Amino acid sequence: TQAMDPLELLSDREIEVFRRLGLGHGTRDIATQLNLSLPTVQTYCARIKEKLGISNGSELMREAVRWVEAQPDR
């Protein structure tokens, strides 16, 4: 089940949030960087977790880091 590509499931904005999480940014930083409110970023995180079948925030971070590290163009 881990072989799925998040890019196929997530919106462009969700990908951007996921990527920034994978680069080690916190939700507050991401909100500032993308000029969004913190609750909006938290909603994106909740949607990402739902779409990827992730149960908690630390698993979300692990998956995001793993995904970013696997990208050839980072």
Side-chain angles (χ1 to χ4, degrees), residues 17 27-28 30-32 34-44:
V17 170
T27 50
R28 210 172 286 280
I30 294 169
T32 303
L34 299 180
N35 202 22
L36 299 169
S37 71
L38 182 58
T40 299
V41 173
Q42 291 168 332
T43 298
Y44 284 127

Side-chain angles (χ1 to χ4, degrees), residues 1 6 8-9 23 29 33-35 38 42 45 48 52-53 56 61 66-67 72 74:
T1 331
E8 295 173 12
L9 300 170
L23 292 170
D29 292 337
Q33 292 162 4
L34 299 180
N35 202 22
L38 182 58
Q42 291 168 332
C45 289
I48 294 166
L52 300 184
N56 60 53
M61 291 298 291
R66 188 178 304 156
W67 180 73
R74 58 184 191 108

Side-chain angles (χ1 to χ4, degrees), residues 10-18 44 47-48 51:
L10 305 181
S11 71
D12 288 349
R13 191 57 115 173
E14 288 164 347
I15 291 285
E16 187 58 26
V17 170
F18 192 62
Y44 284 127
R47 284 195 204 141
I48 294 166
K51 289 181 179 183

